Short mmCIF file of all heavy atoms in Angstrom, two decimals:
data_model
loop_
_atom_site.label_atom_id
_atom_site.label_comp_id
_atom_site.label_asym_id
_atom_site.label_seq_id
_atom_site.Cartn_x
_atom_site.Cartn_y
_atom_site.Cartn_z
N ALA A 131 8.74 48.75 -41.46
CA ALA A 131 9.91 48.60 -40.55
C ALA A 131 10.84 47.42 -40.95
O ALA A 131 12.02 47.55 -40.92
CB ALA A 131 9.38 48.32 -39.15
N VAL A 132 10.27 46.30 -41.41
CA VAL A 132 11.02 45.13 -41.74
C VAL A 132 11.82 45.31 -43.02
O VAL A 132 13.01 45.09 -43.17
CB VAL A 132 10.11 43.96 -41.82
CG1 VAL A 132 10.89 42.73 -42.45
CG2 VAL A 132 9.48 43.60 -40.47
N ARG A 133 11.07 45.89 -43.97
CA ARG A 133 11.75 46.24 -45.21
C ARG A 133 12.85 47.18 -45.16
O ARG A 133 14.06 47.00 -45.67
CB ARG A 133 10.77 46.75 -46.31
CG ARG A 133 9.77 45.69 -46.86
CD ARG A 133 10.54 44.58 -47.51
NE ARG A 133 11.28 45.17 -48.68
CZ ARG A 133 10.69 45.34 -49.88
NH1 ARG A 133 9.52 44.94 -50.09
NH2 ARG A 133 11.40 45.79 -50.92
N HIS A 134 12.73 48.22 -44.36
CA HIS A 134 13.83 49.21 -44.17
C HIS A 134 15.02 48.65 -43.35
O HIS A 134 16.16 48.79 -43.73
CB HIS A 134 13.29 50.47 -43.34
CG HIS A 134 14.34 51.51 -43.17
ND1 HIS A 134 14.46 52.08 -41.94
CD2 HIS A 134 15.39 52.03 -43.97
CE1 HIS A 134 15.47 53.03 -41.91
NE2 HIS A 134 16.00 52.93 -43.19
N GLY A 135 14.65 47.85 -42.34
CA GLY A 135 15.72 47.14 -41.68
C GLY A 135 16.45 46.15 -42.58
O GLY A 135 17.75 46.13 -42.52
N GLN A 136 15.82 45.43 -43.46
CA GLN A 136 16.59 44.59 -44.36
C GLN A 136 17.38 45.29 -45.35
O GLN A 136 18.51 44.89 -45.62
CB GLN A 136 15.61 43.69 -45.06
CG GLN A 136 14.86 42.60 -44.11
CD GLN A 136 13.84 41.82 -44.91
OE1 GLN A 136 13.34 42.19 -46.06
NE2 GLN A 136 13.34 40.80 -44.23
N ASP A 137 16.82 46.42 -45.90
CA ASP A 137 17.60 47.20 -46.83
C ASP A 137 18.79 47.88 -46.20
O ASP A 137 19.92 48.02 -46.86
CB ASP A 137 16.73 48.34 -47.54
CG ASP A 137 15.55 47.67 -48.30
OD1 ASP A 137 15.75 46.57 -48.77
OD2 ASP A 137 14.56 48.45 -48.57
N ALA A 138 18.68 48.24 -44.96
CA ALA A 138 19.81 48.93 -44.14
C ALA A 138 20.79 47.91 -43.69
O ALA A 138 21.83 48.32 -43.21
CB ALA A 138 19.30 49.75 -43.16
N GLY A 139 20.45 46.66 -43.66
CA GLY A 139 21.35 45.67 -43.14
C GLY A 139 21.29 45.46 -41.54
O GLY A 139 22.13 44.92 -41.10
N ASP A 140 20.29 46.13 -41.05
CA ASP A 140 20.22 46.12 -39.53
C ASP A 140 18.63 46.08 -39.19
O ASP A 140 18.01 47.13 -39.12
CB ASP A 140 20.90 47.31 -38.94
CG ASP A 140 21.03 47.11 -37.38
OD1 ASP A 140 20.23 46.36 -36.79
OD2 ASP A 140 21.98 47.78 -36.78
N LEU A 141 18.18 44.89 -39.09
CA LEU A 141 16.69 44.70 -38.83
C LEU A 141 16.31 45.35 -37.45
O LEU A 141 15.21 46.04 -37.53
CB LEU A 141 16.33 43.29 -38.88
CG LEU A 141 14.72 42.90 -38.73
CD1 LEU A 141 14.04 43.58 -39.86
CD2 LEU A 141 14.64 41.51 -38.72
N GLY A 142 17.04 45.26 -36.49
CA GLY A 142 16.67 45.81 -35.20
C GLY A 142 16.56 47.33 -35.22
O GLY A 142 15.60 47.90 -34.73
N ARG A 143 17.47 47.93 -35.82
CA ARG A 143 17.48 49.48 -35.88
C ARG A 143 16.35 49.92 -36.89
O ARG A 143 15.73 50.93 -36.57
CB ARG A 143 18.81 50.05 -36.37
CG ARG A 143 19.91 49.91 -35.38
CD ARG A 143 21.18 50.76 -35.71
NE ARG A 143 22.17 50.74 -34.76
CZ ARG A 143 23.30 51.33 -34.83
NH1 ARG A 143 23.58 52.07 -35.92
NH2 ARG A 143 24.26 51.28 -33.87
N GLY A 144 16.11 49.12 -37.92
CA GLY A 144 14.98 49.54 -38.82
C GLY A 144 13.70 49.49 -38.08
O GLY A 144 12.83 50.41 -38.26
N VAL A 145 13.44 48.47 -37.27
CA VAL A 145 12.20 48.41 -36.55
C VAL A 145 12.09 49.44 -35.44
O VAL A 145 11.09 50.22 -35.29
CB VAL A 145 12.12 47.06 -35.84
CG1 VAL A 145 10.91 46.87 -34.91
CG2 VAL A 145 11.98 45.97 -36.91
N ARG A 146 13.26 49.69 -34.75
CA ARG A 146 13.20 50.75 -33.70
C ARG A 146 12.98 52.19 -34.35
O ARG A 146 12.33 53.05 -33.64
CB ARG A 146 14.53 50.73 -32.83
CG ARG A 146 14.56 49.46 -32.02
CD ARG A 146 15.83 49.61 -31.02
NE ARG A 146 17.06 49.69 -31.61
CZ ARG A 146 17.91 48.61 -31.98
NH1 ARG A 146 17.36 47.43 -31.73
NH2 ARG A 146 19.02 48.75 -32.50
N ALA A 147 13.45 52.45 -35.42
CA ALA A 147 13.29 53.68 -36.18
C ALA A 147 11.76 53.88 -36.33
O ALA A 147 11.30 55.00 -36.16
CB ALA A 147 14.00 53.72 -37.49
N VAL A 148 11.06 52.90 -36.84
CA VAL A 148 9.66 53.10 -37.10
C VAL A 148 8.83 53.30 -35.74
O VAL A 148 7.96 54.02 -35.66
CB VAL A 148 9.08 51.92 -37.91
CG1 VAL A 148 7.53 51.88 -37.96
CG2 VAL A 148 9.72 51.86 -39.30
N VAL A 149 9.25 52.40 -34.74
CA VAL A 149 8.59 52.60 -33.45
C VAL A 149 8.84 54.01 -32.83
O VAL A 149 7.88 54.56 -32.40
CB VAL A 149 9.19 51.50 -32.55
CG1 VAL A 149 8.56 51.70 -31.14
CG2 VAL A 149 8.76 50.14 -33.02
N LEU A 150 10.07 54.50 -32.93
CA LEU A 150 10.27 55.82 -32.39
C LEU A 150 9.56 56.91 -33.20
O LEU A 150 9.09 57.94 -32.62
CB LEU A 150 11.81 56.12 -32.41
CG LEU A 150 12.60 55.32 -31.40
CD1 LEU A 150 14.11 55.51 -31.56
CD2 LEU A 150 12.26 55.63 -29.93
N GLU A 151 9.53 56.72 -34.53
CA GLU A 151 8.84 57.73 -35.38
C GLU A 151 7.25 57.75 -34.95
O GLU A 151 6.72 58.86 -34.87
CB GLU A 151 8.97 57.35 -36.84
CG GLU A 151 8.37 58.37 -37.77
CD GLU A 151 6.96 57.97 -38.25
OE1 GLU A 151 6.69 56.76 -38.22
OE2 GLU A 151 6.14 58.85 -38.44
N ARG A 152 6.69 56.59 -34.88
CA ARG A 152 5.33 56.55 -34.47
C ARG A 152 5.14 57.01 -33.02
O ARG A 152 4.07 57.73 -32.64
CB ARG A 152 4.78 55.08 -34.46
CG ARG A 152 4.76 54.54 -35.93
CD ARG A 152 3.91 55.33 -36.82
NE ARG A 152 2.56 55.25 -36.46
CZ ARG A 152 1.54 56.15 -36.87
NH1 ARG A 152 1.90 57.05 -37.71
NH2 ARG A 152 0.33 56.02 -36.47
N THR A 153 6.06 56.77 -32.18
CA THR A 153 5.97 57.33 -30.76
C THR A 153 6.03 58.81 -30.81
O THR A 153 5.25 59.47 -29.91
CB THR A 153 7.12 56.79 -29.97
OG1 THR A 153 7.05 55.38 -29.87
CG2 THR A 153 7.15 57.28 -28.49
N ALA A 154 6.84 59.43 -31.65
CA ALA A 154 6.84 60.85 -31.69
C ALA A 154 5.51 61.48 -32.05
O ALA A 154 5.05 62.43 -31.59
CB ALA A 154 7.95 61.34 -32.70
N GLY A 155 4.79 60.74 -33.06
CA GLY A 155 3.47 61.28 -33.44
C GLY A 155 2.47 61.09 -32.30
O GLY A 155 1.68 61.96 -32.10
#
Side-chain angles (χ1 to χ4, degrees):
V132 174
R133 287 296 301 270
H134 178 223
Q136 292 176 346
D137 294 341
D140 193 335
L141 183 59
R143 287 190 178 184
V145 173
R146 290 194 295 272
V148 173
V149 171
L150 291 173
E151 184 268 328
R152 297 299 297 163
T153 301

